Amino acid sequence: MFDRLQALADRYEKLSELLCDPDVSSDPKRLRELSKEQSDLQEAYETYTEYKQVSEQLEDAKQMLGEKLDDEMREMVKMEIDELTPRKEELEEKMRIVLLPKDPNDDKNVIVEIRGAAGGDEAALFAYDLYRMYTKYADTQGWRTELMDFSENDLGGFKEVIFMINGKGAYSKMKYESGAHRVQRIPVTESGGRIHTSTSTVAVMPEVEDVEIEILDKDIRIDTFCSSGAGGQSVNTTKSAVRVLHVPTGIMATCQDGKSQNDNKAKALQVLRARIYDIKRQEEEAKYAGERKSKVGTGDRSERIRTYNFPQSRVTDHRINLTLHKLDSVMNGDMSEIISSLTIAEQAELLERETMGI
Protein backbone atom coordinates (compact mmCIF):
# COMPACT_ATOMS: atom_id res chain seq x y z
CA MET A 1 0.00 0.00 0.00
CA PHE A 2 2.72 2.48 0.95
CA ASP A 3 4.68 1.87 -2.26
CA ARG A 4 1.55 2.68 -4.28
CA LEU A 5 0.91 5.82 -2.23
CA GLN A 6 4.50 7.00 -2.61
CA ALA A 7 4.27 6.48 -6.37
CA LEU A 8 1.06 8.53 -6.43
CA ALA A 9 2.69 11.27 -4.34
CA ASP A 10 5.69 11.39 -6.69
CA ARG A 11 3.36 11.66 -9.68
CA TYR A 12 1.32 14.42 -8.00
CA GLU A 13 4.46 16.48 -7.38
CA LYS A 14 5.66 15.85 -10.93
CA LEU A 15 2.31 17.08 -12.23
CA SER A 16 2.70 20.27 -10.17
CA GLU A 17 5.99 20.90 -12.00
CA LEU A 18 4.48 20.14 -15.41
CA LEU A 19 1.55 22.47 -14.82
CA CYS A 20 4.02 25.32 -14.28
CA ASP A 21 5.75 24.54 -17.59
CA PRO A 22 5.00 27.25 -20.24
CA ASP A 23 4.74 24.57 -22.94
CA VAL A 24 1.94 22.88 -20.99
CA SER A 25 0.09 26.07 -20.05
CA SER A 26 0.01 27.08 -23.73
CA ASP A 27 -1.59 23.76 -24.73
CA PRO A 28 -5.23 23.83 -23.47
CA LYS A 29 -5.84 20.14 -24.16
CA ARG A 30 -2.75 18.94 -22.29
CA LEU A 31 -3.30 21.46 -19.51
CA ARG A 32 -6.85 20.14 -19.04
CA GLU A 33 -5.71 16.50 -19.03
CA LEU A 34 -2.89 17.05 -16.51
CA SER A 35 -5.09 19.23 -14.26
CA LYS A 36 -7.73 16.48 -14.24
CA GLU A 37 -5.10 13.85 -13.39
CA GLN A 38 -3.73 15.93 -10.53
CA SER A 39 -7.23 16.62 -9.22
CA ASP A 40 -7.91 12.87 -9.17
CA LEU A 41 -4.73 12.27 -7.15
CA GLN A 42 -5.21 15.16 -4.71
CA GLU A 43 -7.13 13.32 -1.98
CA ALA A 44 -4.66 10.41 -1.93
CA TYR A 45 -1.70 12.84 -1.91
CA GLU A 46 -3.06 14.96 0.95
CA THR A 47 -4.03 11.91 3.01
CA TYR A 48 -0.61 10.27 2.56
CA THR A 49 1.20 13.56 3.32
CA GLU A 50 -0.74 14.02 6.55
CA TYR A 51 -0.19 10.36 7.46
CA LYS A 52 3.61 10.80 7.17
CA GLN A 53 3.49 13.97 9.27
CA VAL A 54 1.36 12.35 11.99
CA SER A 55 3.54 9.21 12.02
CA GLU A 56 6.68 11.32 12.41
CA GLN A 57 5.14 13.38 15.22
CA LEU A 58 3.96 10.22 16.99
CA GLU A 59 7.39 8.60 16.74
CA ASP A 60 9.03 11.77 18.12
CA ALA A 61 6.56 11.87 21.03
CA LYS A 62 7.23 8.21 21.90
CA GLN A 63 10.97 8.84 21.90
CA MET A 64 10.50 11.86 24.17
CA LEU A 65 8.57 9.69 26.61
CA GLY A 66 11.72 7.61 27.10
CA GLU A 67 13.73 10.66 28.08
CA LYS A 68 14.04 12.35 31.45
CA LEU A 69 11.02 14.64 31.72
CA ASP A 70 9.31 16.48 34.53
CA ASP A 71 5.77 15.42 35.43
CA GLU A 72 4.09 18.26 33.55
CA MET A 73 6.02 17.65 30.33
CA ARG A 74 5.49 13.88 30.57
CA GLU A 75 1.74 14.44 30.88
CA MET A 76 1.75 16.73 27.83
CA VAL A 77 3.62 14.14 25.75
CA LYS A 78 1.17 11.43 26.81
CA MET A 79 -1.73 13.64 25.78
CA GLU A 80 -0.11 14.22 22.37
CA ILE A 81 0.33 10.46 21.91
CA ASP A 82 -3.31 9.88 22.86
CA GLU A 83 -4.40 12.39 20.20
CA LEU A 84 -2.06 11.24 17.43
CA THR A 85 -2.60 7.47 17.76
CA PRO A 86 -6.30 7.41 16.73
CA ARG A 87 -5.62 10.01 14.02
CA LYS A 88 -2.95 7.75 12.53
CA GLU A 89 -5.40 4.83 12.53
CA GLU A 90 -8.07 7.00 10.83
CA LEU A 91 -5.62 8.01 8.12
CA GLU A 92 -4.55 4.39 7.55
CA GLU A 93 -8.19 3.47 6.95
CA LYS A 94 -8.69 6.48 4.68
CA MET A 95 -5.60 5.54 2.65
CA ARG A 96 -7.03 2.09 2.01
CA ILE A 97 -10.25 3.71 0.79
CA VAL A 98 -8.60 6.26 -1.54
CA LEU A 99 -6.68 3.42 -3.19
CA LEU A 100 -9.87 1.52 -4.04
CA PRO A 101 -10.71 1.31 -7.76
CA LYS A 102 -12.65 4.42 -8.76
CA ASP A 103 -15.65 4.33 -11.05
CA PRO A 104 -14.51 6.24 -14.16
CA ASN A 105 -17.97 7.81 -14.40
CA ASP A 106 -18.01 9.24 -10.86
CA ASP A 107 -17.18 12.84 -11.82
CA LYS A 108 -19.71 13.00 -14.66
CA ASN A 109 -23.04 14.76 -14.97
CA VAL A 110 -26.04 12.45 -14.96
CA ILE A 111 -29.24 11.94 -16.88
CA VAL A 112 -32.09 10.75 -14.65
CA GLU A 113 -35.24 9.02 -15.89
CA ILE A 114 -38.21 8.57 -13.53
CA ARG A 115 -41.32 6.64 -14.54
CA GLY A 116 -44.56 5.90 -12.74
CA ALA A 117 -44.84 2.11 -12.57
CA ALA A 118 -47.40 0.10 -10.55
CA GLY A 119 -50.19 2.25 -9.15
CA GLY A 120 -51.56 4.37 -12.00
CA ASP A 121 -52.13 8.02 -11.09
CA GLU A 122 -50.61 7.57 -7.63
CA ALA A 123 -47.41 6.18 -9.16
CA ALA A 124 -47.23 9.22 -11.45
CA LEU A 125 -47.74 11.58 -8.49
CA PHE A 126 -44.94 9.80 -6.63
CA ALA A 127 -42.71 10.09 -9.71
CA TYR A 128 -43.23 13.87 -9.46
CA ASP A 129 -42.34 13.73 -5.74
CA LEU A 130 -39.10 11.89 -6.54
CA TYR A 131 -38.25 14.45 -9.23
CA ARG A 132 -38.80 17.24 -6.69
CA MET A 133 -36.68 15.40 -4.09
CA TYR A 134 -33.76 15.02 -6.49
CA THR A 135 -33.87 18.62 -7.70
CA LYS A 136 -33.86 19.86 -4.10
CA TYR A 137 -30.97 17.51 -3.26
CA ALA A 138 -29.10 18.84 -6.31
CA ASP A 139 -29.57 22.38 -4.96
CA THR A 140 -27.92 21.38 -1.65
CA GLN A 141 -24.91 20.09 -3.61
CA GLY A 142 -24.59 23.20 -5.74
CA TRP A 143 -25.57 21.28 -8.89
CA ARG A 144 -27.76 22.57 -11.71
CA THR A 145 -30.78 20.65 -13.01
CA GLU A 146 -32.20 20.84 -16.51
CA LEU A 147 -35.55 19.37 -17.55
CA MET A 148 -35.28 17.49 -20.86
CA ASP A 149 -38.58 15.68 -21.44
CA PHE A 150 -41.74 14.81 -19.52
CA SER A 151 -45.21 13.35 -19.83
CA GLU A 152 -47.84 14.41 -17.28
CA ASN A 153 -51.11 12.93 -16.13
CA ASP A 154 -54.26 14.95 -15.41
CA LEU A 155 -53.34 15.32 -11.71
CA GLY A 156 -49.97 16.93 -12.35
CA GLY A 157 -47.93 13.78 -11.80
CA PHE A 158 -45.26 12.49 -14.16
CA LYS A 159 -45.89 9.37 -16.21
CA GLU A 160 -42.27 9.92 -17.21
CA VAL A 161 -39.72 12.66 -16.66
CA ILE A 162 -36.14 12.94 -17.91
CA PHE A 163 -33.75 15.57 -16.60
CA MET A 164 -30.03 16.25 -16.35
CA ILE A 165 -28.02 17.08 -13.25
CA ASN A 166 -24.87 19.08 -13.98
CA GLY A 167 -22.22 19.13 -11.28
CA LYS A 168 -18.87 17.63 -10.32
CA GLY A 169 -19.31 14.21 -8.73
CA ALA A 170 -23.03 13.99 -9.58
CA TYR A 171 -22.79 10.37 -10.73
CA SER A 172 -20.73 9.33 -7.68
CA LYS A 173 -23.72 10.18 -5.44
CA MET A 174 -26.73 9.72 -7.71
CA LYS A 175 -25.72 6.30 -9.08
CA TYR A 176 -27.22 4.56 -6.03
CA GLU A 177 -30.71 5.80 -6.94
CA SER A 178 -31.32 3.44 -9.88
CA GLY A 179 -34.04 0.94 -9.08
CA ALA A 180 -37.67 0.64 -7.98
CA HIS A 181 -38.87 3.08 -5.30
CA ARG A 182 -41.97 2.03 -3.35
CA VAL A 183 -44.38 4.42 -1.66
CA GLN A 184 -46.96 3.58 1.00
CA ARG A 185 -49.53 6.31 1.67
CA ILE A 186 -53.17 7.36 1.25
CA PRO A 187 -53.46 8.64 -2.33
CA VAL A 188 -55.29 11.88 -3.05
CA THR A 189 -57.56 9.78 -5.27
CA GLU A 190 -58.55 7.50 -2.34
CA SER A 191 -61.88 8.46 -0.78
CA GLY A 192 -61.94 5.64 1.79
CA GLY A 193 -58.71 6.60 3.55
CA ARG A 194 -56.95 3.33 2.73
CA ILE A 195 -53.16 3.11 2.42
CA HIS A 196 -52.02 2.08 -1.07
CA THR A 197 -48.65 0.78 -2.24
CA SER A 198 -47.29 2.12 -5.55
CA THR A 199 -43.92 2.16 -7.26
CA SER A 200 -41.91 4.40 -9.54
CA THR A 201 -38.67 3.43 -11.24
CA VAL A 202 -35.51 5.51 -11.44
CA ALA A 203 -32.65 5.09 -13.90
CA VAL A 204 -29.47 7.13 -13.43
CA MET A 205 -27.06 7.24 -16.36
CA PRO A 206 -23.75 9.11 -16.71
CA GLU A 207 -23.60 11.74 -19.42
CA VAL A 208 -21.64 10.37 -22.38
CA GLU A 209 -19.39 12.33 -24.71
CA ASP A 210 -19.50 11.95 -28.49
CA VAL A 211 -16.10 10.24 -28.48
CA GLU A 212 -17.33 7.58 -26.04
CA ILE A 213 -20.45 6.61 -27.98
CA GLU A 214 -20.37 7.58 -31.64
CA ILE A 215 -23.78 7.87 -33.30
CA LEU A 216 -23.64 8.02 -37.08
CA ASP A 217 -26.18 10.10 -39.00
CA LYS A 218 -27.02 7.11 -41.20
CA ASP A 219 -28.01 5.10 -38.10
CA ILE A 220 -30.63 7.50 -36.75
CA ARG A 221 -34.12 8.57 -37.75
CA ILE A 222 -35.39 11.94 -36.57
CA ASP A 223 -39.07 12.87 -36.24
CA THR A 224 -40.50 16.20 -35.09
CA PHE A 225 -43.82 16.80 -33.39
CA CYS A 226 -45.68 19.39 -31.31
CA SER A 227 -44.83 19.66 -27.63
CA SER A 228 -47.69 18.59 -25.39
CA GLY A 229 -48.80 19.14 -21.84
CA ALA A 230 -51.11 17.38 -19.40
CA GLY A 231 -53.64 15.06 -21.00
CA GLY A 232 -51.80 15.17 -24.30
CA GLN A 233 -53.22 18.58 -25.24
CA SER A 234 -51.01 20.54 -27.60
CA VAL A 235 -49.39 23.54 -25.98
CA ASN A 236 -47.13 24.34 -28.90
CA THR A 237 -48.30 24.67 -32.49
CA THR A 238 -44.77 24.45 -33.91
CA LYS A 239 -43.03 21.13 -34.36
CA SER A 240 -40.16 21.85 -31.96
CA ALA A 241 -40.23 18.54 -30.08
CA VAL A 242 -37.82 15.91 -31.41
CA ARG A 243 -37.81 12.13 -31.35
CA VAL A 244 -34.60 10.30 -32.31
CA LEU A 245 -34.51 6.57 -33.10
CA HIS A 246 -31.23 4.67 -33.18
CA VAL A 247 -32.07 2.12 -35.87
CA PRO A 248 -29.37 -0.54 -35.09
CA THR A 249 -30.49 -0.90 -31.44
CA GLY A 250 -34.09 0.30 -31.59
CA ILE A 251 -33.37 2.70 -28.72
CA MET A 252 -35.35 5.94 -28.81
CA ALA A 253 -35.13 9.31 -27.09
CA THR A 254 -37.37 12.37 -27.17
CA CYS A 255 -37.01 15.94 -25.97
CA GLN A 256 -39.58 18.73 -25.98
CA ASP A 257 -38.45 21.16 -23.29
CA GLY A 258 -35.68 22.92 -25.21
CA LYS A 259 -35.96 26.42 -26.67
CA SER A 260 -35.77 25.25 -30.27
CA GLN A 261 -35.84 22.19 -32.48
CA ASN A 262 -32.04 22.16 -32.66
CA ASP A 263 -31.82 22.41 -28.88
CA ASN A 264 -34.25 19.50 -28.49
CA LYS A 265 -32.33 17.43 -31.04
CA ALA A 266 -29.05 17.97 -29.15
CA LYS A 267 -30.67 16.99 -25.84
CA ALA A 268 -32.37 13.94 -27.37
CA LEU A 269 -29.00 12.77 -28.72
CA GLN A 270 -27.52 13.22 -25.24
CA VAL A 271 -30.20 10.94 -23.80
CA LEU A 272 -29.76 8.47 -26.66
CA ARG A 273 -26.00 8.21 -26.10
CA ALA A 274 -26.54 7.75 -22.36
CA ARG A 275 -29.08 4.96 -22.94
CA ILE A 276 -26.83 3.11 -25.39
CA TYR A 277 -23.88 3.45 -23.01
CA ASP A 278 -26.01 2.30 -20.07
CA ILE A 279 -27.03 -0.89 -21.88
CA LYS A 280 -23.40 -1.65 -22.78
CA ARG A 281 -22.32 -0.96 -19.18
CA GLN A 282 -24.99 -3.30 -17.80
CA GLU A 283 -23.92 -6.00 -20.24
CA GLU A 284 -20.33 -5.65 -19.03
CA GLU A 285 -21.38 -5.76 -15.37
CA ALA A 286 -23.48 -8.86 -16.03
CA LYS A 287 -20.23 -10.69 -16.76
CA TYR A 288 -19.18 -10.15 -13.15
CA ALA A 289 -21.99 -12.03 -11.46
CA GLY A 290 -21.73 -14.10 -8.28
CA GLU A 291 -18.99 -13.00 -5.91
CA ARG A 292 -18.31 -9.79 -7.80
CA LYS A 293 -21.93 -8.60 -7.88
CA SER A 294 -22.43 -5.60 -5.62
CA LYS A 295 -24.88 -5.87 -2.75
CA VAL A 296 -25.43 -2.12 -2.94
CA GLY A 297 -26.31 -2.24 -6.64
CA THR A 298 -26.13 0.72 -8.99
CA GLY A 299 -28.07 -0.13 -12.10
CA ASP A 300 -30.88 -2.69 -11.98
CA ARG A 301 -34.04 -0.62 -12.28
CA SER A 302 -36.25 -3.64 -11.46
CA GLU A 303 -34.64 -4.07 -8.03
CA ARG A 304 -36.73 -2.63 -5.17
CA ILE A 305 -34.26 -0.45 -3.36
CA ARG A 306 -36.26 1.82 -1.04
CA THR A 307 -39.65 2.23 0.65
CA TYR A 308 -41.19 5.57 1.60
CA ASN A 309 -43.83 5.03 4.30
CA PHE A 310 -45.78 8.28 4.79
CA PRO A 311 -48.10 7.27 7.70
CA GLN A 312 -45.06 6.47 9.87
CA SER A 313 -42.76 9.13 8.35
CA ARG A 314 -40.28 6.35 7.62
CA VAL A 315 -37.88 5.75 4.76
CA THR A 316 -36.05 2.41 4.47
CA ASP A 317 -33.21 1.52 2.12
CA HIS A 318 -33.44 -2.24 1.75
CA ARG A 319 -29.91 -2.75 0.39
CA ILE A 320 -28.21 -1.69 3.61
CA ASN A 321 -31.11 -2.07 6.06
CA LEU A 322 -31.09 1.63 6.83
CA THR A 323 -34.28 3.13 8.31
CA LEU A 324 -34.73 6.84 9.00
CA HIS A 325 -37.75 8.42 10.67
CA LYS A 326 -37.54 11.76 8.88
CA LEU A 327 -39.40 11.22 5.65
CA ASP A 328 -40.44 14.88 5.27
CA SER A 329 -36.81 16.00 5.36
CA VAL A 330 -35.76 13.34 2.85
CA MET A 331 -38.55 14.26 0.43
CA ASN A 332 -37.36 17.87 0.71
CA GLY A 333 -33.90 16.92 -0.51
CA ASP A 334 -32.13 15.97 2.73
CA MET A 335 -30.62 12.80 1.27
CA SER A 336 -27.05 13.17 2.54
CA GLU A 337 -27.35 10.54 5.29
CA ILE A 338 -28.74 7.95 2.86
CA ILE A 339 -26.12 8.68 0.18
CA SER A 340 -23.26 8.68 2.71
CA SER A 341 -24.42 5.35 4.17
CA LEU A 342 -24.60 3.77 0.72
CA THR A 343 -21.14 5.11 -0.16
CA ILE A 344 -19.66 3.70 3.06
CA ALA A 345 -21.36 0.34 2.44
CA GLU A 346 -19.91 0.15 -1.06
CA GLN A 347 -16.44 1.09 0.18
CA ALA A 348 -16.62 -1.61 2.87
CA GLU A 349 -17.67 -4.12 0.24
CA LEU A 350 -14.77 -3.14 -2.04
CA LEU A 351 -12.32 -3.37 0.88
CA GLU A 352 -13.62 -6.86 1.66
CA ARG A 353 -13.09 -7.92 -1.95
CA GLU A 354 -9.56 -6.49 -1.93
CA THR A 355 -8.79 -8.45 1.24
CA MET A 356 -10.21 -11.65 -0.26
CA GLY A 357 -8.49 -11.03 -3.57
CA ILE A 358 -11.76 -11.16 -5.51
Side-chain angles (χ1 to χ4, degrees):
M1 179 175 76
F2 292 103
D3 289 342
R4 287 173 64 191
L5 284 162
Q6 186 59 55
L8 290 176
D10 292 342
R11 177 59 180 167
Y12 182 91
E13 291 170 357
K14 178 63 177 176
L15 287 167
S16 296
E17 294 177 17
L18 289 170
L19 289 168
C20 294
D21 189 322
D23 290 337
V24 172
S25 58
S26 62
D27 183 345
K29 184 174 182 291
R30 188 148 185 252
L31 180 64
R32 187 167 57 251
E33 289 172 351
L34 294 180
S35 297
K36 171 70 166 59
E37 184 184 354
Q38 189 184 55
S39 176
D40 290 343
L41 295 176
Q42 185 170 348
E43 185 179 12
Y45 176 78
E46 291 177 350
T47 304
Y48 182 52
T49 300
E50 185 183 355
Y51 174 81
K52 289 194 294 184
Q53 292 172 346
V54 168
S55 296
E56 187 176 331
Q57 291 169 5
L58 184 58
E59 188 60 33
D60 290 346
K62 287 179 177 179
Q63 287 182 4
M64 281 185 67
L65 206 59
E67 298 173 1
K68 245 185 169 182
L69 303 171
D70 59 43
D71 291 343
E72 185 179 353
M73 180 61 73
R74 182 172 294 277
E75 192 60 35
M76 287 176 62
V77 172
K78 283 182 178 180
M79 287 176 61
E80 185 178 10
I81 291 172
D82 289 343
E83 290 175 2
L84 291 171
T85 300
R87 182 57 184 160
K88 182 183 177 184
E89 292 171 355
E90 289 172 9
L91 290 167
E92 285 175 347
E93 182 66 18
K94 188 175 179 181
M95 286 190 300
R96 280 192 280 270
I97 289 172
V98 297
L99 286 176
L100 290 172
K102 186 179 178 183
D103 189 326
N105 295 314
D106 273 354
D107 288 336
K108 291 184 177 181
N109 302 327
V110 296
I111 292 173
V112 184
E113 298 180 349
I114 307 174
R115 292 181 175 86
D121 286 336
E122 168 63 3
L125 289 169
F126 183 54
Y128 171 82
D129 292 339
L130 290 175
Y131 167 74
R132 179 177 175 275
M133 177 180 76
Y134 291 136
T135 54
K136 285 185 170 291
Y137 175 64
D139 288 342
T140 69
Q141 301 300 303
W143 300 335
R144 181 171 57 86
T145 58
E146 181 182 0
L147 188 62
M148 303 181 81
D149 193 34
F150 64 94
S151 173
E152 296 176 288
N153 70 354
D154 293 329
L155 298 175
F158 283 134
K159 298 175 185 176
E160 176 186 50
V161 59
I162 302 169
F163 62 102
M164 176 174 279
I165 298 178
N166 295 277
K168 183 175 174 59
Y171 186 76
S172 69
K173 295 180 179 180
M174 287 296 298
K175 62 184 176 182
Y176 304 111
E177 295 305 298
S178 288
H181 295 243
R182 182 174 68 172
V183 60
Q184 295 172 327
R185 65 183 177 187
I186 301 171
V188 293
T189 55
E190 170 58 52
S191 58
R194 293 174 301 168
I195 295 173
H196 286 224
T197 298
S198 304
T199 57
S200 294
T201 61
V202 175
V204 177
M205 301 170 291
E207 182 186 18
V208 183
E209 301 293 333
D210 297 11
V211 293
E212 296 175 89
I213 295 291
E214 184 181 14
I215 297 177
L216 303 175
D217 288 342
K218 67 181 181 66
D219 289 336
I220 60 174
R221 191 181 76 206
I222 300 176
D223 298 313
T224 58
F225 57 98
C226 295
S227 300
S228 60
Q233 295 175 340
S234 176
V235 294
N236 188 345
T237 56
T238 61
K239 291 188 175 182
S240 61
V242 173
R243 180 185 298 111
V244 182
L245 171 67
H246 187 244
V247 178
T249 61
I251 298 172
M252 186 183 296
T254 63
C255 184
Q256 63 174 323
D257 208 56
K259 296 177 181 177
S260 66
Q261 190 178 107
N262 285 337
D263 192 24
N264 282 328
K265 178 185 173 183
K267 290 180 179 180
L269 285 170
Q270 276 184 305
V271 175
L272 191 66
R273 275 193 295 269
R275 286 177 176 169
I276 293 171
Y277 178 84
D278 190 51
I279 288 173
K280 290 187 175 183
R281 181 180 60 82
Q282 288 187 51
E283 288 173 350
E284 285 295 314
E285 289 180 356
K287 296 176 183 178
Y288 298 92
E291 290 184 7
R292 288 181 183 263
K293 184 170 175 61
S294 170
K295 293 176 191 137
V296 174
T298 57
D300 186 355
R301 65 189 71 182
S302 66
E303 175 193 7
R304 189 190 73 191
I305 63 169
R306 197 174 299 146
T307 295
Y308 305 75
N309 184 294
F310 277 72
Q312 298 178 26
S313 188
R314 184 182 70 221
V315 57
T316 299
D317 195 290
H318 304 291
R319 295 164 293 181
I320 54 174
N321 295 319
L322 173 70
T323 295
L324 302 176
H325 292 274
K326 56 174 189 177
L327 182 57
D328 286 348
S329 295
V330 172
M331 298 307 295
N332 278 303
D334 182 11
M335 298 178 61
S336 295
E337 187 172 353
I338 294 174
I339 300 296
S340 296
S341 298
L342 287 162
T343 302
I344 291 168
E346 185 180 40
Q347 289 172 346
E349 194 176 321
L350 289 170
L351 283 169
E352 185 180 354
R353 289 186 206 166
E354 291 267 312
T355 303
M356 296 172 65
I358 296 175

